[in-house]
Amino acid sequence: MNRKYRKTVIAGNWKMNKTPTETKAFMTEFKTIMPRGRWCDVALCVPAVCIPAAVRTMRETRIGIGAENCNANASGAYTGEIAANMLLDAGCKYVILGHSERRAMGETDADVNAKVLAALNAGLTPIMCCGESLEQRQSGITTEWITMQIKLGLAGVPEDKIRKVIIAYEPIWAIGTGKTATAEQAAEVCTFIRTTVRHLYGARIARSITIQYGGSMKPANAAELLAQPDIDGGLIGGAALKPDQFVDI
Ligand code: PEP
């Protein structure tokens, strides 16, 4: 990480775990053991129904609450969906977009792009995920794949809004598998992502963008991953479900 130029952001992704009651218990414990230092921003992205409990419990803290998805439209006949401005009004600061688990349910790069634009218009910070499968890595197309995801995902994002976007590099083969990318593998792709952003927006903006690594990050490997110059934080699944483990990271 490079804290001179950009924010370090440690974000949890709870996926479809915890009820509102469990959320309140987690946040209450987390608040008491969370160190007071200001060396990074901390976010917890939780299931939609848990947002009110999370926001209420963390009201007087610096922990940002986020959602795990949003709809690209501002309102309308989209039964079961949630718009970005609704998340903002509910107290969210962040929204995870384009997670590989949602892409596996059919979300395309065009969908991700529309959601990124909607999140930015509403005033949310999108955490836009990208990452290759094991087959793509083994066939040597990781960088091409990531370039495509970044270019399509950020299409139409204006220069004055791009600094707000966080990019999370999450190799699919490392998510929830216990198989972490080595620090070198993660660093190589995160540096490549910054280069791609530089080609799109120039050096000054590329230098200021926060790029996270996600994929089985835990207390035992976080320090080495976060020591890489182009890794500015983590998107954390499993280890964000236990307050003590998340605090350790
Ligand atoms: C994730 O789902 O974003 C993730 C990184 O999960 P895990 O940390 O469990 O691999």
Side-chain angles (χ1 to χ4, degrees):
M1 61 189 135
N2 184 332
R3 279 186 274 148
K4 185 169 164 208
Y5 294 116
R6 44 195 181 258
K7 279 186 188 168
T8 302
V9 184
I10 304 289
N13 171 17
W14 277 6
K15 313 191 185 200
M16 199 173 73
N17 291 296
K18 297 197 190 291
T19 61
T21 305
E22 290 165 343
T23 300
K24 189 174 174 204
F26 176 105
M27 298 293 171
T28 304
E29 183 182 345
F30 185 59
K31 243 187 346 192
T32 62
I33 60 174
M34 178 73 200
R36 298 277 167 257
R38 281 183 158 252
W39 72 271
C40 70
D41 288 1
V42 179
L44 276 160
C45 299
V46 304
V49 293
C50 300
I51 291 168
V55 169
R56 221 178 302 120
T57 317
M58 298 315 245
R59 191 166 285 143
E60 261 108 53
T61 72
R62 289 182 56 251
I63 313 298
I65 301 303
E68 301 175 9
N69 182 36
C70 73
N71 190 278
N73 298 284
S75 63
Y78 304 100
T79 303
E81 292 291 291
I82 300 176
N85 68 324
M86 296 174 185
L87 296 175
L88 187 84
D89 192 64
C92 283
K93 185 170 173 202
Y94 301 89
V95 59
I96 298 173
L97 297 173
H99 191 282
S100 57
E101 288 156 13
R102 295 207 59 87
R103 291 179 188 261
M105 293 177 217
E107 198 165 284
T108 64
D109 285 308
D111 295 330
V112 176
N113 176 239
K115 292 178 183 196
V116 167
L117 295 171
L120 287 169
N121 278 340
L124 292 170
T125 295
I127 301 178
M128 188 185 86
C129 302
C130 60
E132 81 288 3
S133 67
L134 190 57
E135 296 70 37
Q136 288 164 335
R137 174 161 281 267
Q138 285 170 343
S139 50
I141 60 161
T142 298
T143 52
E144 286 82 356
W145 184 256
I146 301 285
T147 307
M148 187 192 70
Q149 286 187 319
I150 301 284
K151 282 192 176 164
L152 295 176
L154 295 180
V157 174
E159 275 197 17
D160 62 325
K161 293 230 170 96
I162 183 67
R163 280 171 208 271
K164 215 172 164 164
V165 177
I166 295 174
I167 299 175
Y169 168 54
E170 297 211 308
I172 298 169
W173 46 273
I175 295 177
T177 57
K179 221 190 251 178
T180 323
T182 63
E184 292 71 30
Q185 285 172 321
E188 189 185 15
V189 180
C190 288
T191 299
F192 176 76
I193 290 171
R194 199 174 306 285
T195 306
T196 306
V197 174
R198 192 173 71 231
H199 290 152
L200 293 172
Y201 291 96
R204 218 151 48 91
I205 286 176
R207 190 168 77 178
S208 68
I209 291 274
T210 296
I211 300 175
Q212 299 174 320
Y213 167 78
S216 300
M217 192 186 267
K218 47 186 179 279
N221 59 26
E224 194 189 0
L225 287 159
L226 294 170
Q228 306 306 312
D230 283 309
I231 300 182
D232 311 309
L235 184 55
I236 295 134
L241 292 169
K242 301 222 169 75
D244 55 340
Q245 282 194 22
F246 194 51
V247 162
D248 283 349
I249 292 174

